[in-house]
Structures are given as structure tokens and as C-alpha cells.
Amino acid sequence: MTLAANRYSPLYFLASVGAGGLTVTFFMWLMFWVPHTGRPVPIFEDNWAVLTGGTLAQQAMVLGAWAGIAIFGFLNLKLLAFNLGRFAAFRRSDAYEAFAKSNAGSQVLALPLALAMSVNAAFILGLTFVPGLWSIVEYLFPVAMAAFLAIGWLAFRELGHFIKERLHSGGFDCSANNSFAQMLPAFALAMTGVGLAAPAAMTLVPVVAGVSIVLSTFFITAAIILALIVMVMSVRPMLEHGVNVEAAPTLMVVIPLMTVIGIAILRQNHGLHVSFEAHGTAADTLVLLTRFLSIEVIFALFGLAVLSRVGYVARFVTGSETSAGSYALVCPGVALSVMTHFWLNKGLVAAGIVAKYSVAYWAISGVAVAFQFAMIVLVWMLARNHFKPVSGAAVPA
């Protein structure tokens, strides 16, 4: 029995989300460092061409990306399976009723968040390792959108239960809402939206692109509205009572939210360009991505300052205390890595400010890779704390 199994919380779905995010960071290597002319994303055949005909450095890069995608893709699905089993048991337990009636009841939205991330990770695994997948990809887009719609329905159902119960019976403790923990539902809706936007960026069928743009816009808009409401609700309790120490990592959940929304908009813009002749400029994209990255850096500085002030890392990461919420630290670092790649390649390079493969290019890419490997170390540290075998008597309070 592991600590995570013994003291289960739906927040452990974030472990699966983090592993899926690291899968995406390795796909960024292929996305921006492997030529894929005529396609918006690299596929197995593109990678194989580099692996069999590229330089030694290029071959090492592809092998490293493949290894990272395989390892963290497997870990994503393994942790999803673990959580689905434990969550089903938790939902049948006596403790669940009190949990559902508390502020923490919104944590069930970690389930659709993890499901949406796993669908995205599975698509990356297919593009990376399945030869000939691109020849049938148009048939996969309606299936993918149906899957994301099912996940979106689940997210709205769980969110509806949580909100209706509070509006009917009350019970939401505003004084205990001194974090951004209630931002989790917005993150789940945004992850569904970015998945729904993927066909718009890849399809050559205008109807599919149009449906993808409309559906993804709905979920992204819902996520933004919910996130703004939560921010307004949460600031006063934090100023009045101080931040909830265990939930302090949620102060940086805005970072992955911005990355997901930003990628969704990029996908929509590409679909509008290819299918509907809406032509944006490289300068427009640069400004858009710079705005999103600026928001992320601001919240990163804010979150790190608070984490340092309350001694969070010393207590819950390197110390003896454990909290399932620690896994919320992984997503911001992953999101910063991914956004840095997009800002550099789709912003600075596309606008002609930085030359691809120049010294400046590799310096900025190095920042993205540094975030990536820092999160790999963090995932390893958290796994040692939360998924090591323990006896029932040895579980800390």
C-alpha cells in the first residue's frame, strides 16, 4: 500500500496530469526541431527521416524525445488508472459525503481534467510512434471531438452538482477560500477546450474545422468566466486570513491555464487561416503570446514569493509532511516550458526577431528545457514521497 492509496484525495489526478504535461514537453522537441513540411505537426515518418539521415545530435534529440514521450506517456496512463480505481472506492466511502459538501468538493473536477490530458497524451503517442497514422487522421478527428465532448459533459455535470448544492443549501465557507483551489474547474474546462481545438489546427475539412472552433470557443469562454469569478472570490479571504498553506501551489494555476488557452487560440487561428482565409500576421501572434507569457511570469513570481514566505517546499516537498496538492506545482513549470517554446518559435522566430538555431535561439530554448527537467526532478521527488510503499501504521497524519 502506498501513501497515496492510503490517504487518497482526488488531487492525485494531478499526478497523471503532470506526467501528461511532461509528455507534451518532449513533443515540443519534435514539434520545433524536426522538419515537417506540409503538416502542422511532426509524425512518425518525419522523426524516422531524421533518425536515419540526420546528424548525430539530431538523432540523439529524436531518441531523447521518443524516450521521454514513451516514459511519461506510460506514467500518465498508469497514474490515471490508479486514480480511477481509488476514486471509485473513495466515492463509495462514508467520507465522501462530507467531502462533497465542503469547499473541497470541487476537487472532483480533477477527474475530467486528467481524462482530457490523457486524450491529448494518447494523440501525441499515436503521432510519434504509429506509422501511417496521418493517412487516417481525418477519420480520427470526429472521434476525438466526441471524446472531448463526453469529458466536457462530465466536467459540467460535476461542476453543476457542486454549484447547485451550494446555491440550494449554502455551506460554502468563503473564509476558507483563501487560495486559488477553486480554479481547478476552470482548468478542466480549458483542457477540454484545447483538445477540441486540435482538429481546427490539423484538418483540411472546413466543416470539421468550423465545428472544432465553435466547440472549443465555448469551453474556453466558460473557463475564462469561471476563472475570473474565482479570482475575485479568492483575493479577499487571502488578504483577510492569509493564504491556505497546503493550497498555496494553486496560486500558480493561472500559469497552465494561460498556456492551455493560448495554445487553443493558436490552433483556432490556424484553422481560421487554412479553412476560412482569415489571415493573421506573425506580429499578431508575437503580441498574443507575449501577453500570455507576461501573465505567467507575473503569477510565477507571485506564487514563488508566497511559497517561499510560508516555507512550502521545506515542509511538503523536501520535508516530512505530505500533501496531495503538491502535485499542483508540476503544471506551472510544465506550462512555462511549453509556452516558452511557442513564444520563441511561433513568436520571435516567425516575426524575424530571433534567427532559428542561432545562439539566442538556443539560449531561450535552454530556458524551456531547464523548466522541463526541473519538473522531471520534482515529479521524481514527489513520487518518492507519495507512492513509496508504507504500512498502515506508518502513514503520517
Side-chain angles (χ1 to χ4, degrees):
M1 180 73 73
T2 64
L3 178 67
N6 228 330
R7 297 176 55 197
Y8 182 73
S9 163
L11 288 178
Y12 278 117
F13 275 110
L14 296 179
S16 176
V17 174
L22 285 171
T23 305
V24 176
T25 63
F26 280 101
F27 187 71
M28 292 295 97
W29 296 13
L30 305 177
M31 179 76 176
F32 296 118
W33 301 339
V34 170
H36 45 93
T37 305
R39 282 181 296 272
V41 291
I43 59 175
F44 172 83
E45 287 77 7
D46 298 318
N47 302 327
W48 186 253
V50 172
L51 198 59
T52 56
T55 65
L56 185 61
Q58 290 173 324
Q59 292 171 341
M61 179 273 294
V62 170
L63 288 175
W66 276 9
I69 291 170
I71 291 169
F72 288 103
F74 170 76
L75 187 60
N76 165 260
L77 297 176
K78 178 183 177 181
L79 289 170
L80 178 65
F82 162 80
N83 275 282
L84 290 174
R86 297 306 304 177
F87 181 71
F90 175 62
R91 205 155 199 171
R92 294 191 298 268
S93 68
D94 295 335
Y96 181 78
E97 184 176 355
F99 163 84
K101 291 181 178 179
S102 70
N103 288 18
S106 63
Q107 292 176 11
V108 297
L109 271 295
L111 167 58
L113 171 62
L115 290 174
M117 174 57 86
S118 290
V119 174
N120 285 313
F123 200 74
I124 287 175
L125 288 167
L127 289 174
T128 304
F129 295 115
V130 180
L133 184 69
W134 198 253
S135 63
I136 61 168
V137 74
E138 292 289 357
Y139 298 100
L140 298 179
F141 292 145
V143 176
M145 285 194 290
F148 280 115
L149 278 177
I151 294 169
W153 172 83
L154 174 63
F156 272 116
R157 188 190 71 174
E158 296 296 344
L159 179 60
H161 287 332
F162 179 76
I163 293 176
K164 284 189 297 183
E165 180 67 24
R166 301 312 176 280
L167 293 178
H168 177 262
S169 306
F172 187 84
D173 188 350
C174 292
S175 64
N177 189 39
N178 49 342
S179 70
F180 285 163
Q182 299 302 324
M183 197 79 76
L184 185 60
F187 192 12
L189 295 177
M191 188 65 73
T192 303
V194 75
L196 283 166
M202 292 182 276
T203 186
L204 296 177
V205 180
V207 171
V208 174
V211 172
S212 171
I213 291 168
V214 169
L215 293 177
S216 60
T217 298
F218 172 78
F219 279 92
I220 294 298
T221 302
I224 292 171
I225 292 172
L226 192 57
L228 291 174
I229 292 172
V230 169
M231 289 186 69
V232 172
M233 288 176 55
S234 303
V235 170
R236 178 172 177 174
M238 283 192 285
L239 293 174
E240 194 171 330
H241 304 287
V243 70
N244 181 325
V245 176
E246 276 202 60
T250 63
L251 298 180
M252 295 189 289
V253 75
V254 173
I255 298 172
L257 187 63
M258 290 298 100
T259 291
V260 168
I261 292 173
I263 293 173
I265 293 174
L266 287 181
R267 288 174 169 180
Q268 292 175 341
N269 288 346
H270 186 81
L272 289 169
H273 169 72
V274 171
S275 298
F276 304 104
E277 299 184 359
H279 305 296
T281 67
D284 294 331
T285 302
L286 172 62
V287 171
L288 174 70
L289 293 176
T290 301
R291 287 169 178 164
F292 279 114
L293 185 59
S294 298
I295 294 171
E296 293 184 16
V297 171
I298 290 167
F299 274 91
L301 295 174
F302 167 59
L304 290 173
V306 174
L307 289 175
S308 176
R309 182 67 180 85
V310 301
Y312 186 90
V313 173
R315 287 182 58 182
F316 296 103
V317 179
T318 60
S320 59
E321 297 181 74
T322 57
S323 170
S326 297
Y327 274 97
L329 291 171
V330 179
C331 293
V334 165
L336 277 168
S337 176
V338 172
M339 180 55 79
T340 301
H341 277 297
F342 273 97
W343 178 67
L344 171 61
N345 289 275
K346 298 295 187 180
L348 296 177
V349 173
I353 297 174
V354 172
K356 192 157 189 176
Y357 305 140
S358 64
V359 173
Y361 179 89
W362 288 119
I364 298 172
S365 295
V367 174
V369 173
F371 282 130
Q372 176 184 4
F373 279 92
M375 293 306 101
I376 292 173
V377 172
L378 177 59
V379 165
W380 174 74
M381 294 174 66
L382 293 176
R384 288 185 61 194
N385 292 339
H386 293 265
F387 289 91
K388 63 183 178 183
V390 293
S391 63
V395 177

